[in-house]
Amino acid sequence: MSHFLDIHKTDPADLRQMISEAGRIKQMRKGLPKGTPDAEQVLANHMVALIFEKPSTRTRVSFDVGVRQMGGQTMVLSGSDMQLGHGETIADTARVLSRYVDMIMIRTFEESTLLEMAEHATVPVINGLTNRTHPCQIMADVLTYEEHNGSIRGKKVVWLGDGNNVAASLIHAAGQFGFDITIAAPETLQPEAEFVNWARNKGVEVVLETNPQQAVEGADLVVTDTWVSMHDSQTTKERRHNQLRAYQVDDALMAHAKPDALFMHCLPAHRGEEVTSSVMDGPQSVIWDEAENRLHAQKAVMRWCLGK
Ligand code: CP
Ligand code: NVA
């Protein structure tokens, strides 16, 4: 069994294998009603706990549907309803849950919660987003890019806005899948140096840029996300908006990218803030495929975790 904690902590050959497996799994169920079981019932007799300490639409529904299609059963738990939120240690929670379920997916605040869960669980633990990273999202993004425009290796990916948890996993993916990445953000909102240095040491180009137009020049993929994440204090909202206004992805900015460049957003989006509706609903946007691909990519992740 293996934990899926982060893209930079997972073997690149395994990541590559998961992407091709996800594509195969997706093809297998093309056109079927969503409740139809997968031909391969790899999670038959398996119970999966989905723990949420933050809100979620995509992660919650895609994991729940994915497990069920693979023949397993789910239990969706909210952190605040569990003893976890009332003083029981994460380690003890991990030990107990491991006696009831075969796999744990957790969305939480501090990365240390995820790591402690993984250290003490005797079943695989999957990172469904922490304040620091969001690896499942980026697995879906790589799958989405490659479905539309072929191999992502050597491509130029540009991130605009807050250098947040999603940006961090995208930087990890740059190192593991071999693409170059430019982060366009004000200096105070650039991603963590630790992640940037990690990717640079893998031999890919990581450019930190403050000018959005210059950053997007020649891009193959343009990505953005909310300016204020779930773990950010709402009091920073106004300051963030002022700092990031110039990084909004609009048609004029997209015009600096290659003509066949794609646009992605992990969602939920704030239309008219980090991205205009015209880009979200425009011909270069692949956001709905991206959201769908959470389902297929995570099935591949879960199979890998269980060695199936
Ligand atoms: N992209 C993503 O993780 O969405 P949710 O917060 O709705 O799960
Ligand atoms: N950066 C966002 C991603 C949501 C899926 C957040 O953490 O709120």
Side-chain angles (χ1 to χ4, degrees):
M1 75 143 212
S2 314
H3 300 305
F4 186 72
L5 301 180
D6 266 315
I7 288 179
H8 66 310
K9 293 177 182 166
T10 309
D11 182 79
D14 288 359
L15 293 168
R16 187 30 80 199
Q17 165 69 21
M18 284 183 238
I19 296 295
S20 66
E21 185 71 351
R24 185 185 69 82
I25 292 167
K26 182 174 182 177
Q27 283 309 318
M28 256 189 340
R29 47 173 313 122
K30 267 243 138 73
L32 294 176
K34 311 294 188 286
T36 312
D38 281 356
E40 298 166 1
Q41 291 285 284
V42 290
L43 288 190
N45 308 319
H46 283 66
M47 186 65 78
V48 181
L50 308 174
I51 306 173
F52 290 91
E53 296 199 285
K54 288 174 177 168
S56 169
T57 297
R58 280 142 289 269
T59 305
R60 180 185 162 140
V61 178
S62 59
F63 266 104
D64 200 345
V65 169
V67 170
R68 293 192 209 196
Q69 288 180 344
M70 292 195 289
Q73 295 180 62
T74 57
M75 198 179 298
V76 181
L77 303 160
S78 108
S80 58
D81 293 342
M82 297 170 68
Q83 298 292 7
L84 189 59
H86 303 279
E88 185 166 24
T89 68
I90 298 149
D92 290 348
T93 306
R95 293 181 182 112
V96 170
L97 285 180
S98 300
R99 300 294 179 101
Y100 300 134
V101 303
D102 302 291
M103 190 151 48
I104 300 166
M105 192 287 313
I106 179 164
R107 164 169 289 194
T108 187
F109 288 87
E110 298 305 325
E111 182 181 54
S112 56
T113 305
L114 169 81
L115 298 182
E116 205 176 328
M117 184 74 83
E119 190 185 335
H120 299 280
T122 54
V123 299
V125 173
I126 298 174
N127 176 358
L129 180 147
T130 69
N131 294 358
R132 232 177 153 210
T133 59
H134 195 5
C136 289
Q137 179 64 53
I138 299 304
M139 292 300 281
D141 291 9
V142 171
L143 174 64
T144 309
Y145 183 87
E146 297 200 333
E147 271 178 359
H148 283 268
N149 279 3
S151 174
I152 199 162
R153 181 166 293 280
K155 293 287 165 30
K156 177 179 176 177
V157 175
V158 180
W159 173 273
L160 290 120
D162 182 24
N164 63 15
N165 44 5
V166 181
S169 289
L170 191 60
I171 291 169
H172 293 151
Q176 300 291 51
F177 290 95
F179 57 85
D180 295 328
I181 183 160
T182 299
I183 307 288
E187 261 157 37
T188 54
L189 295 176
Q190 290 283 355
E192 289 180 47
E194 181 190 324
F195 294 152
V196 171
N197 293 335
W198 176 88
R200 283 179 177 157
N201 284 335
K202 293 291 263 186
V204 295
E205 203 176 343
V206 184
V207 178
L208 304 180
E209 173 66 69
T210 51
N211 181 307
Q213 286 78 22
Q214 220 156 300
V216 174
E217 215 53 60
D220 296 286
L221 170 62
V222 176
V223 193
T224 192
D225 185 17
T226 180
W227 289 339
V228 185
S229 285
M230 292 181 275
H231 61 275
D232 290 322
S233 150
Q234 285 302 307
T235 58
T236 64
K237 197 169 173 184
E238 197 181 324
R239 184 158 45 89
R240 281 285 173 90
H241 279 232
N242 291 332
Q243 277 180 295
L244 289 168
R245 209 173 305 280
Y247 297 86
Q248 182 190 66
V249 181
D250 60 11
D251 290 315
L253 193 58
M254 283 302 292
H256 290 270
K258 286 195 183 140
D260 71 341
L262 302 176
F263 170 76
M264 287 192 206
H265 190 311
C266 65
L267 306 177
H270 303 76
R271 288 172 179 260
E273 293 181 11
E274 71 271 11
V275 58
T276 60
S277 280
S278 156
V279 170
M280 275 186 75
D281 303 326
Q284 287 167 287
S285 170
V286 290
I287 55 174
W288 313 125
D289 290 339
E290 183 185 5
E292 176 186 334
N293 282 340
R294 293 291 303 276
L295 173 68
H296 311 298
Q298 288 159 190
K299 281 182 176 174
V301 168
M302 288 189 275
R303 288 175 78 131
W304 174 83
C305 285
L306 292 167
K308 291 169 182 284

